[in-house]
Amino acid sequence: MASKVIHAYYNDDDILMQAVKKVKTTKHHIEEVYCPFPVHGLDKAMGLAPTRIAITSFMYGCLGLIVAIVMMNYIMIEDWPQDIGGKPSFTYIQNMPAFVPIMFELTVFFAAHLMVITFYLRSRLWPFKKAENPDVRTTDDHFVMEIEVYSGDEKGLMTMLQESGAVEINQVEK
Amino acid sequence: MYTFSNRLKIGAIVLMALGVVGMGVGFVTVPSTPEEARNMVAAHDDGHGDSHAEEGEHPAAASEHPAEDAGHAAASGHDAAHDEHLMHQLQNRPWSAVYVAAFFFFMIALGVLAFYAIQRAAQAGWSPLLFRVMEGITAYLVPGGIIMFVLLILSVMHFNHMFVWMDSEVVAEDALLQGKAGYLDPTFFLIRAAIFLGGWILYREVSRRLSLAQDEADDNRNFVKNFRWAAGFLVFYLVTESMMSWDWIMSIDPHWFSTLFGWYIFAGMMVSGITVIAIITIYLKSKGYLPDVNDSHIHDLAKFMFGFSIFWTYLWFSQFMLIWYANIPEEVTYFVTRIEDYNLPFFGMVAMNFVFPLLLLMNSDYKRINWFVVMAGIVILAGHYVDVFNMVMPGTVGDQWSIGIPEFGAVCFFAGIFILWVFRALTKVPLQPKRNPFIEESRHFHY
């Protein structure tokens, strides 16, 4: 991790996208981009790996389905198979239609909630977390691209960022 | 411009020829007297008893029937009424096979028409590139609708016994049917069918004309008109589709009724329609006729296939579970006969129409792979054929069903007409609308 970073400020997402592509071609490492709103295609331009959160969600859904089946099978069929209004409680399959609403809801519940929690964990979000944005303007109308600096290439990088349409460039010690 | 490839044309004609032969075999092998019917079923039993070689020819029949056949063999003291009932069931089989296939292909065209109208009314930006394909498929409404209407007329004229309420002797002994006679009246039934078909075909023709006129016009008047027609049609469609499902499908079991039946038919119609749009689009694209269609369009269609498969399952299960749960005798017989006599098709179609598309089309990468979408589409279409089969057959042939020569023949025949008519319609105009206001957006559609 470089101790020095450059913060390049932009005030338009199209210009930002162009700048990101340009910086990528010069092989500089973009540490982070702070945006006030999602910029469509920014992750592709930065070359970020696609998210795998949908896959986790699918697995959580399977888990929820299993929980529902095991729970209903134990409670309604194995533990105390009562005759409730003539519903057949001899085997799980015989009474399955009555359990489907629960199976469905638990699948969705597990898939949704565990996925959200996964998202919080992976993106390190929690109630008393200290905000990380380098400049308050990044939550309103400015975009900041943070680039690592190694000794020697500062000058060239600065001029290139200037040309790419940055409205402000700061060097920050980290 | 699309040119109808000779191979496809010959293929369709061969399908039709095979279909005619298959349907002919079905109609010829029908018993004409109750005794003959009894002997046929008895011979069927013997066939199973002493030679398993025959089973190879009729795998479906062999695997499904042993239980019932044993029952028939045991009750050797047939009474005449039972034999006559058996004869009617066997006589119904080729008719039902034709009816199921005719309705299935008609419902694809109608589902596409509804989807098309929704795309127009919603002013969707992704789909205008596919409008000509959809219009090509809806061209089948005319021949398909005429065939459906002829089948209904033949039923009213007592060429078959598919609709028991059309038989005045049956109605005379049946208080329930007398109560419904005001609605289930043969003449009124045909008038309704004519109104439904007339309205659907009218919208299709008007919309097609406006769509083509829009290509040549220099303003968007035709487009706006088409939008209004689509909105009006959707209202008309929702009402008539619901009534059509009561008339053409639900009245086969006239003692039974279900309030969400119209929606259920609608869901099956939509998913099969969208699947056919996807398959034909992929086919045309693979031949190089739709250069601007990209994998995002296919992705969208596959998402609709996925979504409507689940919607269909939701309605199927809602209908089934409500009736199963309450278990009211007059309603539950519908499912009792299906589960007892049609166990494999009844639950097999849930696997084909729900589990299979659910697992296959969940991944968004898979939805962009053509052969994946086609494979899922074929299973979905087969599943929805079985769905229609399950809705019609139990009320007409009862436990004498099987999926054999008459059924395959009818499917081949209608598939042949469908392909011939749809691809002929596709050759008539360029496959890409010229100046639809959304065509640029559709061309650059990217998901």
Side-chain angles (χ1 to χ4, degrees):
Chain A
M1 182 100 179
S3 58
K4 258 205 243 167
V5 292
I6 288 182
H7 283 164
Y9 289 68
Y10 297 86
N11 55 12
D12 186 285
D13 51 340
D14 283 337
I15 298 171
L16 172 79
M17 282 288 282
Q18 296 302 320
V20 165
K21 282 173 191 156
K22 203 167 164 189
V23 173
K24 283 302 273 188
T25 55
T26 57
K27 303 269 188 247
H28 278 95
H29 178 67
I30 299 174
E31 184 66 27
E32 191 66 88
V33 177
Y34 298 91
C35 303
F37 54 80
V39 177
H40 190 73
L42 185 63
D43 53 338
K44 284 228 175 68
M46 287 173 71
L48 299 181
T51 173
R52 287 168 296 180
I53 201 152
I55 299 169
T56 67
S57 181
F58 178 77
M59 294 192 294
Y60 296 145
C62 294
L63 178 69
L65 184 63
I66 292 167
V67 167
I69 292 172
V70 171
M71 177 177 76
M72 299 314 292
N73 185 49
Y74 177 69
I75 297 173
M76 301 302 290
I77 310 295
E78 284 176 10
D79 190 38
W80 197 2
Q82 280 193 103
D83 182 341
I84 303 166
K87 284 279 161 286
S89 53
F90 307 107
T91 61
Y92 188 78
I93 198 77
Q94 271 185 322
N95 210 355
M96 201 203 57
F99 303 146
V100 166
I102 298 160
M103 287 155 67
F104 170 77
E105 292 295 348
L106 276 184
T107 307
V108 174
F109 180 88
F110 273 63
H113 289 83
L114 292 180
M115 178 176 75
V116 168
I117 293 168
T118 306
F119 168 74
Y120 286 154
L121 290 176
R122 288 294 288 149
S123 46
R124 298 169 206 278
L125 284 174
W126 58 85
F128 299 104
K129 181 186 166 71
K130 201 174 167 301
E132 279 174 356
N133 49 333
D135 190 310
V136 286
R137 286 176 293 168
T138 59
T139 64
D140 182 19
D141 61 347
H142 275 68
F143 303 83
V144 168
M145 191 197 310
E146 184 178 294
I147 305 161
E148 284 181 17
V149 190
Y150 300 96
S151 56
D153 60 348
E154 281 173 61
K155 277 266 159 54
L157 180 60
M158 295 283 252
T159 41
M160 189 195 61
L161 289 172
Q162 208 87 57
E163 281 165 11
S164 72
V167 290
E168 189 181 325
I169 301 173
N170 297 334
Q171 249 189 55
V172 186
E173 297 286 336
K174 231 187 178 175
Chain B
M1 289 290 264
Y2 170 67
T3 42
F4 200 159
S5 88
N6 253 334
R7 268 169 56 197
L8 193 63
K9 196 181 279 177
I10 291 167
I13 291 167
V14 167
L15 271 179
M16 282 176 70
L18 279 176
V20 169
V21 173
M23 291 193 298
V25 168
F27 280 105
V28 168
T29 54
V30 137
S32 47
T33 62
E35 289 72 38
E36 211 178 313
R38 183 179 56 202
N39 293 337
M40 267 177 77
V41 174
H44 200 56
D45 287 341
D46 294 343
H48 284 302
D50 52 42
S51 96
H52 282 272
E54 275 184 21
E55 285 188 359
E57 290 170 25
H58 304 285
S63 57
E64 293 307 317
H65 277 296
E68 294 104 64
D69 287 348
H72 282 298
S76 51
H78 284 284
D79 53 357
H82 179 261
D83 283 346
E84 194 170 327
H85 180 62
L86 196 65
M87 179 188 75
H88 282 168
Q89 289 186 329
L90 292 171
Q91 283 176 343
N92 270 339
R93 189 177 154 199
W95 283 98
S96 303
V98 173
Y99 191 79
V100 169
F103 182 78
F104 176 68
F105 283 95
F106 178 75
M107 115 180 162
I108 289 173
L110 189 57
V112 171
L113 188 70
F115 186 70
Y116 173 77
I118 290 171
Q119 297 300 308
R120 285 218 174 260
Q123 306 199 351
W126 67 278
S127 51
L129 215 47
L130 306 174
F131 276 176
R132 290 285 179 271
V133 177
M134 296 185 207
E135 285 164 11
I137 298 169
T138 55
Y140 179 73
L141 274 180
V142 178
I146 290 170
I147 292 170
M148 278 307 295
F149 196 65
V150 168
L151 282 174
L152 297 178
I153 291 176
L154 292 179
S155 303
V156 167
M157 289 167 72
H158 304 295
F159 278 89
N160 58 54
H161 307 270
M162 289 202 312
F163 298 87
V164 282
W165 57 266
M166 287 174 183
D167 192 335
S168 49
E169 287 171 32
V170 175
V171 177
E173 292 168 13
D174 194 321
L176 281 173
L177 291 186
Q178 284 162 19
K180 294 180 182 184
Y183 186 79
L184 292 179
D185 172 73
T187 323
F188 187 28
F189 175 80
L190 288 181
I191 293 171
R192 282 198 305 268
I195 293 171
F196 306 156
L197 289 166
W200 300 333
I201 291 171
L202 174 77
Y203 167 69
R204 194 267 159 192
E205 297 304 321
V206 168
S207 181
R208 166 79 160 183
R209 208 152 293 165
L210 288 171
S211 173
L212 295 181
Q214 171 69 20
D215 272 9
E216 309 303 328
D218 43 17
D219 56 13
N220 286 336
R221 263 211 322 266
N222 295 300
F223 178 79
V224 175
K225 269 192 209 160
N226 218 344
F227 167 79
R228 295 206 180 116
W229 272 94
F233 165 74
L234 285 172
V235 175
F236 175 80
Y237 170 79
L238 225 58
V239 175
T240 50
E241 187 272 338
S242 204
M243 294 177 75
M244 173 275 278
S245 72
W246 310 334
D247 281 7
W248 298 1
I249 306 285
M250 203 157 80
S251 82
I252 285 173
D253 298 275
H255 285 176
W256 182 78
F257 49 86
S258 163
T259 43
L260 63 68
F261 199 72
W263 282 105
Y264 173 65
I265 304 275
F266 165 77
M269 204 178 257
M270 282 302 267
V271 67
S272 349
I274 294 164
T275 303
V276 170
I277 298 174
I279 291 176
I280 292 185
T281 305
I282 289 172
Y283 171 78
L284 290 174
K285 187 171 164 49
S286 74
K287 298 281 170 197
Y289 288 109
L290 291 169
D292 286 344
V293 169
N294 56 40
D295 57 0
S296 291
H297 293 102
I298 306 298
H299 189 165
D300 259 30
L301 286 168
K303 274 190 281 187
F304 271 113
M305 283 160 66
F306 177 72
F308 273 104
S309 288
I310 291 169
F311 179 62
W312 175 87
T313 315
Y314 168 63
L315 292 177
W316 174 82
F317 183 71
S318 300
Q319 177 169 287
F320 171 70
M321 195 262 242
L322 280 180
I323 291 174
W324 171 85
Y325 213 123
N327 206 19
I328 300 171
E330 69 228 47
E331 287 180 355
V332 87
T333 47
Y334 186 81
F335 288 111
V336 169
T337 49
R338 276 156 184 79
I339 291 173
E340 281 180 358
D341 298 336
Y342 291 74
N343 200 289
L344 181 67
F346 187 68
F347 292 109
M349 83 177 171
V350 181
M352 290 164 86
N353 292 339
F354 174 61
V355 181
F356 193 80
L358 178 84
L359 295 176
L360 238 67
L361 295 177
M362 177 134 37
N363 189 318
S364 83
D365 293 333
Y366 292 169
K367 283 188 277 236
R368 293 162 173 271
I369 303 171
N370 286 346
W371 67 268
F372 236 91
V373 176
V374 171
M375 190 171 72
I378 288 169
V379 174
I380 290 173
L381 286 180
H384 283 280
Y385 171 79
V386 177
D387 182 23
V388 180
F389 186 87
N390 274 324
M391 289 189 283
V392 171
M393 289 290 179
T396 56
V397 302
D399 58 5
Q400 294 304 315
W401 70 279
S402 86
I403 295 185
I405 293 169
E407 285 78 13
F408 277 113
V411 170
C412 287
F413 177 73
F414 284 99
I417 306 187
F418 186 82
I419 293 170
L420 214 56
W421 205 274
V422 168
F423 284 87
R424 208 184 59 110
L426 287 172
T427 56
K428 292 197 173 150
V429 287
L431 283 183
Q432 205 156 304
K434 260 190 284 207
R435 52 179 308 286
N436 184 305
F438 289 109
I439 195 73
E440 267 323 292
E441 183 181 341
S442 179
R443 202 173 280 155
H444 297 119
F445 173 66
H446 178 77
Y447 171 73

